[in-house]
Amino acid sequence: MPVRTVGATHRAAHASQVTESPEVRAALNWFSRNLSWINDQQVRITEIPAPPFQESARADAVKALLADCGLSVSTDKTGNVVGELPGSTDKEIVMLTAHLDTVFPPGTEVNVRRDGDRLSAPGISDNGTGLAGLVSIARAMHESGIKPRRTILFVADVGEEGEGNLRGMRALVDTYRSQLKAAVVLDGSGTDHVTTKALASRRLEVLITGPGGHSWSDFGMPNPINALVRGSIRFINTKVPSSPRTTFNLGQIEGGTSVNSIPYEAKLKVDIRSESEDELTKLESALRESITAGVRDEMESSRDRSKGKLEWKIDVLGTRPGGELAANSQLFAALRAADDHVGNQSRVERSSTDANIPLAAGIDAISIGAGGTGGGAHSLQEWYEPTGRELGLKRALLTLIGVSGLAEEKSK
């Protein structure tokens, strides 16, 4: 069931102060009048490939769009695109962010297919929707003349997916930590949820190496793939608790040069997640114990150990820290006020997003969808339908302004 918190009267008063502004009303109306433009920008952005660690071409396109919104735009040394809307105070900052990267490797076909209102392409929802929302909110605020109290940074950041290890958001928090009061992350579609709890995770890579050889003449030599399979079977039989929820995924396996060669190495990439740091540690230990046993069993069963033995190691590719937004935070109140104003109900979720980094640092942060509906995320069949997207954009805009505030009008 959707979560509703106490304080509806206070939220209504807070929202009315924001929406009484003629500039804010003009910005809210802007979305409905410009849906075709927003959809076109989403298609254009999605069709620029942005594989992990190769986001620069898409970053350049978003940079130009943000510059057209009257922002002072720059690219930091990590690759994040940062557009600044100065507030009446420069001592406090609020960020609106959307990640640039996708999970798809170079060479993936990203041309958008249209079937009625449905748009289909890898990355069209995650995070074409968020990036289109970022640009649209910046343009709506620019054309309506909104002046915030706190400075707002509109950020298209790198490294959210896969082995990016949230490097873009880590750099942003390091740079602006002393001034940063809140971060609103636009990630994917929908309006039915708000992520206020950061799900901790670790990404690990197992590497097993051996001498390698010929499948016929060197039969019986210890085989890295055999060892990896033995260890993996042990690991996937690990019992994990349903509460605190804990999961694991064997996401990638690599190794070998040909079907008739004993491989000289085998690799496995594993994703582990849990609501509990203790359970994460237990699960990582279980992986190490399983691989140790797999290598031992393969060595013991091999017929010929004279040409070498197996070696193994496990490297941590990335970690995502946990954290949680306080229920009485200004940001959460702004989100609930926005929900009330647009007639939306949303449930609180725990997930792994760019919001993990500010939340772990004690900075208010949430992750929300940018409206519309989508499905098939991280697959070649990913799709997005923009019907109702203006509700998500209005919700995000009101949340942003609710936490940034409006500059006080100077007396004449």
PDB file of all heavy atoms in Angstrom, residues 235-256:
ATOM      1  N   PHE A 235      28.594 -21.977  -4.189  1.00  0.00           N
ATOM      2  CA  PHE A 235      28.135 -20.648  -3.768  1.00  0.00           C
ATOM      3  C   PHE A 235      26.643 -20.459  -3.976  1.00  0.00           C
ATOM      4  O   PHE A 235      25.951 -19.890  -3.116  1.00  0.00           O
ATOM      5  CB  PHE A 235      28.913 -19.559  -4.506  1.00  0.00           C
ATOM      6  CG  PHE A 235      28.480 -18.159  -4.143  1.00  0.00           C
ATOM      7  CD1 PHE A 235      28.688 -17.662  -2.870  1.00  0.00           C
ATOM      8  CD2 PHE A 235      27.845 -17.344  -5.079  1.00  0.00           C
ATOM      9  CE1 PHE A 235      28.278 -16.381  -2.517  1.00  0.00           C
ATOM     10  CE2 PHE A 235      27.432 -16.071  -4.747  1.00  0.00           C
ATOM     11  CZ  PHE A 235      27.642 -15.587  -3.465  1.00  0.00           C
ATOM     12  N   ILE A 236      26.110 -20.921  -5.118  1.00  0.00           N
ATOM     13  CA  ILE A 236      24.687 -20.680  -5.382  1.00  0.00           C
ATOM     14  C   ILE A 236      23.780 -21.500  -4.469  1.00  0.00           C
ATOM     15  O   ILE A 236      22.578 -21.255  -4.425  1.00  0.00           O
ATOM     16  CB  ILE A 236      24.324 -20.930  -6.865  1.00  0.00           C
ATOM     17  CG1 ILE A 236      24.539 -22.395  -7.251  1.00  0.00           C
ATOM     18  CG2 ILE A 236      25.091 -19.986  -7.772  1.00  0.00           C
ATOM     19  CD1 ILE A 236      24.116 -22.718  -8.668  1.00  0.00           C
ATOM     20  N   ASN A 237      24.357 -22.414  -3.728  1.00  0.00           N
ATOM     21  CA  ASN A 237      23.582 -23.149  -2.729  1.00  0.00           C
ATOM     22  C   ASN A 237      23.645 -22.497  -1.354  1.00  0.00           C
ATOM     23  O   ASN A 237      23.110 -23.038  -0.384  1.00  0.00           O
ATOM     24  CB  ASN A 237      24.071 -24.598  -2.643  1.00  0.00           C
ATOM     25  CG  ASN A 237      23.613 -25.413  -3.843  1.00  0.00           C
ATOM     26  OD1 ASN A 237      22.435 -25.421  -4.180  1.00  0.00           O
ATOM     27  ND2 ASN A 237      24.550 -26.083  -4.497  1.00  0.00           N
ATOM     28  N   THR A 238      24.285 -21.341  -1.274  1.00  0.00           N
ATOM     29  CA  THR A 238      24.342 -20.591  -0.019  1.00  0.00           C
ATOM     30  C   THR A 238      22.943 -20.125   0.377  1.00  0.00           C
ATOM     31  O   THR A 238      22.207 -19.562  -0.444  1.00  0.00           O
ATOM     32  CB  THR A 238      25.266 -19.367  -0.154  1.00  0.00           C
ATOM     33  OG1 THR A 238      26.572 -19.798  -0.542  1.00  0.00           O
ATOM     34  CG2 THR A 238      25.351 -18.595   1.147  1.00  0.00           C
ATOM     35  N   LYS A 239      22.578 -20.337   1.613  1.00  0.00           N
ATOM     36  CA  LYS A 239      21.277 -19.894   2.107  1.00  0.00           C
ATOM     37  C   LYS A 239      21.382 -18.437   2.542  1.00  0.00           C
ATOM     38  O   LYS A 239      22.282 -18.066   3.305  1.00  0.00           O
ATOM     39  CB  LYS A 239      20.826 -20.752   3.290  1.00  0.00           C
ATOM     40  CG  LYS A 239      20.726 -22.247   2.983  1.00  0.00           C
ATOM     41  CD  LYS A 239      19.691 -22.520   1.895  1.00  0.00           C
ATOM     42  CE  LYS A 239      19.567 -24.010   1.616  1.00  0.00           C
ATOM     43  NZ  LYS A 239      18.629 -24.297   0.498  1.00  0.00           N
ATOM     44  N   VAL A 240      20.464 -17.619   2.030  1.00  0.00           N
ATOM     45  CA  VAL A 240      20.436 -16.204   2.420  1.00  0.00           C
ATOM     46  C   VAL A 240      19.095 -15.895   3.081  1.00  0.00           C
ATOM     47  O   VAL A 240      18.080 -16.505   2.748  1.00  0.00           O
ATOM     48  CB  VAL A 240      20.650 -15.281   1.201  1.00  0.00           C
ATOM     49  CG1 VAL A 240      22.041 -15.470   0.628  1.00  0.00           C
ATOM     50  CG2 VAL A 240      19.599 -15.518   0.133  1.00  0.00           C
ATOM     51  N   PRO A 241      19.083 -14.967   4.021  1.00  0.00           N
ATOM     52  CA  PRO A 241      17.842 -14.657   4.730  1.00  0.00           C
ATOM     53  C   PRO A 241      16.880 -13.852   3.869  1.00  0.00           C
ATOM     54  O   PRO A 241      17.293 -13.081   2.997  1.00  0.00           O
ATOM     55  CB  PRO A 241      18.319 -13.842   5.930  1.00  0.00           C
ATOM     56  CG  PRO A 241      19.571 -13.172   5.455  1.00  0.00           C
ATOM     57  CD  PRO A 241      20.224 -14.171   4.535  1.00  0.00           C
ATOM     58  N   SER A 242      15.599 -14.036   4.121  1.00  0.00           N
ATOM     59  CA  SER A 242      14.596 -13.189   3.475  1.00  0.00           C
ATOM     60  C   SER A 242      14.453 -11.871   4.215  1.00  0.00           C
ATOM     61  O   SER A 242      13.995 -10.876   3.654  1.00  0.00           O
ATOM     62  CB  SER A 242      13.249 -13.915   3.410  1.00  0.00           C
ATOM     63  OG  SER A 242      12.825 -14.314   4.700  1.00  0.00           O
ATOM     64  N   SER A 243      14.849 -11.878   5.491  1.00  0.00           N
ATOM     65  CA  SER A 243      14.843 -10.655   6.295  1.00  0.00           C
ATOM     66  C   SER A 243      16.037 -10.701   7.257  1.00  0.00           C
ATOM     67  O   SER A 243      16.113 -11.621   8.077  1.00  0.00           O
ATOM     68  CB  SER A 243      13.532 -10.524   7.078  1.00  0.00           C
ATOM     69  OG  SER A 243      13.530  -9.335   7.845  1.00  0.00           O
ATOM     70  N   PRO A 244      16.987  -9.767   7.135  1.00  0.00           N
ATOM     71  CA  PRO A 244      17.053  -8.685   6.150  1.00  0.00           C
ATOM     72  C   PRO A 244      17.256  -9.256   4.739  1.00  0.00           C
ATOM     73  O   PRO A 244      18.024 -10.206   4.564  1.00  0.00           O
ATOM     74  CB  PRO A 244      18.247  -7.857   6.590  1.00  0.00           C
ATOM     75  CG  PRO A 244      19.104  -8.830   7.345  1.00  0.00           C
ATOM     76  CD  PRO A 244      18.175  -9.774   8.021  1.00  0.00           C
ATOM     77  N   ARG A 245      16.541  -8.667   3.787  1.00  0.00           N
ATOM     78  CA  ARG A 245      16.598  -9.189   2.426  1.00  0.00           C
ATOM     79  C   ARG A 245      18.027  -9.152   1.906  1.00  0.00           C
ATOM     80  O   ARG A 245      18.715  -8.126   1.997  1.00  0.00           O
ATOM     81  CB  ARG A 245      15.684  -8.386   1.515  1.00  0.00           C
ATOM     82  CG  ARG A 245      15.574  -8.998   0.117  1.00  0.00           C
ATOM     83  CD  ARG A 245      14.690  -8.190  -0.792  1.00  0.00           C
ATOM     84  NE  ARG A 245      14.700  -8.751  -2.145  1.00  0.00           N
ATOM     85  CZ  ARG A 245      14.247  -8.123  -3.218  1.00  0.00           C
ATOM     86  NH1 ARG A 245      13.714  -6.923  -3.098  1.00  0.00           N
ATOM     87  NH2 ARG A 245      14.294  -8.707  -4.402  1.00  0.00           N
ATOM     88  N   THR A 246      18.459 -10.284   1.343  1.00  0.00           N
ATOM     89  CA  THR A 246      19.827 -10.438   0.861  1.00  0.00           C
ATOM     90  C   THR A 246      19.793 -11.213  -0.456  1.00  0.00           C
ATOM     91  O   THR A 246      19.060 -12.200  -0.566  1.00  0.00           O
ATOM     92  CB  THR A 246      20.684 -11.191   1.897  1.00  0.00           C
ATOM     93  OG1 THR A 246      20.643 -10.480   3.143  1.00  0.00           O
ATOM     94  CG2 THR A 246      22.131 -11.312   1.442  1.00  0.00           C
ATOM     95  N   THR A 247      20.558 -10.756  -1.443  1.00  0.00           N
ATOM     96  CA  THR A 247      20.531 -11.406  -2.757  1.00  0.00           C
ATOM     97  C   THR A 247      21.942 -11.529  -3.318  1.00  0.00           C
ATOM     98  O   THR A 247      22.860 -10.821  -2.896  1.00  0.00           O
ATOM     99  CB  THR A 247      19.676 -10.614  -3.765  1.00  0.00           C
ATOM    100  OG1 THR A 247      20.309  -9.353  -4.036  1.00  0.00           O
ATOM    101  CG2 THR A 247      18.269 -10.368  -3.239  1.00  0.00           C
ATOM    102  N   PHE A 248      22.098 -12.430  -4.294  1.00  0.00           N
ATOM    103  CA  PHE A 248      23.340 -12.526  -5.040  1.00  0.00           C
ATOM    104  C   PHE A 248      23.013 -12.831  -6.496  1.00  0.00           C
ATOM    105  O   PHE A 248      21.964 -13.379  -6.811  1.00  0.00           O
ATOM    106  CB  PHE A 248      24.277 -13.593  -4.463  1.00  0.00           C
ATOM    107  CG  PHE A 248      23.703 -14.975  -4.417  1.00  0.00           C
ATOM    108  CD1 PHE A 248      23.688 -15.795  -5.537  1.00  0.00           C
ATOM    109  CD2 PHE A 248      23.177 -15.473  -3.233  1.00  0.00           C
ATOM    110  CE1 PHE A 248      23.168 -17.077  -5.484  1.00  0.00           C
ATOM    111  CE2 PHE A 248      22.648 -16.755  -3.164  1.00  0.00           C
ATOM    112  CZ  PHE A 248      22.642 -17.559  -4.295  1.00  0.00           C
ATOM    113  N   ASN A 249      23.939 -12.454  -7.373  1.00  0.00           N
ATOM    114  CA  ASN A 249      23.755 -12.716  -8.801  1.00  0.00           C
ATOM    115  C   ASN A 249      25.099 -12.980  -9.449  1.00  0.00           C
ATOM    116  O   ASN A 249      26.041 -12.192  -9.300  1.00  0.00           O
ATOM    117  CB  ASN A 249      23.093 -11.521  -9.491  1.00  0.00           C
ATOM    118  CG  ASN A 249      22.838 -11.781 -10.967  1.00  0.00           C
ATOM    119  OD1 ASN A 249      22.102 -12.688 -11.319  1.00  0.00           O
ATOM    120  ND2 ASN A 249      23.455 -10.988 -11.840  1.00  0.00           N
ATOM    121  N   LEU A 250      25.207 -14.116 -10.156  1.00  0.00           N
ATOM    122  CA  LEU A 250      26.372 -14.398 -10.982  1.00  0.00           C
ATOM    123  C   LEU A 250      26.096 -13.773 -12.342  1.00  0.00           C
ATOM    124  O   LEU A 250      25.311 -14.284 -13.128  1.00  0.00           O
ATOM    125  CB  LEU A 250      26.599 -15.907 -11.107  1.00  0.00           C
ATOM    126  CG  LEU A 250      27.329 -16.605  -9.947  1.00  0.00           C
ATOM    127  CD1 LEU A 250      26.591 -16.429  -8.634  1.00  0.00           C
ATOM    128  CD2 LEU A 250      27.521 -18.083 -10.246  1.00  0.00           C
ATOM    129  N   GLY A 251      26.729 -12.622 -12.604  1.00  0.00           N
ATOM    130  CA  GLY A 251      26.337 -11.807 -13.745  1.00  0.00           C
ATOM    131  C   GLY A 251      27.144 -12.011 -15.007  1.00  0.00           C
ATOM    132  O   GLY A 251      26.617 -11.839 -16.104  1.00  0.00           O
ATOM    133  N   GLN A 252      28.429 -12.364 -14.876  1.00  0.00           N
ATOM    134  CA  GLN A 252      29.274 -12.532 -16.058  1.00  0.00           C
ATOM    135  C   GLN A 252      30.273 -13.653 -15.817  1.00  0.00           C
ATOM    136  O   GLN A 252      30.855 -13.761 -14.728  1.00  0.00           O
ATOM    137  CB  GLN A 252      30.055 -11.250 -16.382  1.00  0.00           C
ATOM    138  CG  GLN A 252      29.237 -10.152 -17.036  1.00  0.00           C
ATOM    139  CD  GLN A 252      30.101  -8.959 -17.397  1.00  0.00           C
ATOM    140  OE1 GLN A 252      30.531  -8.220 -16.536  1.00  0.00           O
ATOM    141  NE2 GLN A 252      30.374  -8.790 -18.679  1.00  0.00           N
ATOM    142  N   ILE A 253      30.475 -14.498 -16.844  1.00  0.00           N
ATOM    143  CA  ILE A 253      31.497 -15.541 -16.816  1.00  0.00           C
ATOM    144  C   ILE A 253      32.329 -15.409 -18.080  1.00  0.00           C
ATOM    145  O   ILE A 253      31.798 -15.272 -19.179  1.00  0.00           O
ATOM    146  CB  ILE A 253      30.870 -16.949 -16.737  1.00  0.00           C
ATOM    147  CG1 ILE A 253      30.079 -17.114 -15.429  1.00  0.00           C
ATOM    148  CG2 ILE A 253      31.947 -18.016 -16.826  1.00  0.00           C
ATOM    149  CD1 ILE A 253      29.377 -18.448 -15.308  1.00  0.00           C
ATOM    150  N   GLU A 254      33.637 -15.441 -17.924  1.00  0.00           N
ATOM    151  CA  GLU A 254      34.549 -15.342 -19.054  1.00  0.00           C
ATOM    152  C   GLU A 254      35.653 -16.384 -18.900  1.00  0.00           C
ATOM    153  O   GLU A 254      35.987 -16.791 -17.783  1.00  0.00           O
ATOM    154  CB  GLU A 254      35.187 -13.951 -19.145  1.00  0.00           C
ATOM    155  CG  GLU A 254      34.207 -12.808 -19.304  1.00  0.00           C
ATOM    156  CD  GLU A 254      34.898 -11.461 -19.285  1.00  0.00           C
ATOM    157  OE1 GLU A 254      36.133 -11.435 -19.458  1.00  0.00           O
ATOM    158  OE2 GLU A 254      34.224 -10.455 -19.083  1.00  0.00           O
ATOM    159  N   GLY A 255      36.232 -16.791 -20.043  1.00  0.00           N
ATOM    160  CA  GLY A 255      37.373 -17.684 -19.961  1.00  0.00           C
ATOM    161  C   GLY A 255      37.487 -18.569 -21.184  1.00  0.00           C
ATOM    162  O   GLY A 255      36.511 -18.834 -21.875  1.00  0.00           O
ATOM    163  N   GLY A 256      38.701 -19.027 -21.426  1.00  0.00           N
ATOM    164  CA  GLY A 256      38.933 -19.949 -22.530  1.00  0.00           C
ATOM    165  C   GLY A 256      39.245 -19.254 -23.835  1.00  0.00           C
ATOM    166  O   GLY A 256      38.858 -18.101 -24.058  1.00  0.00           O
TER     167      GLY A 256
END
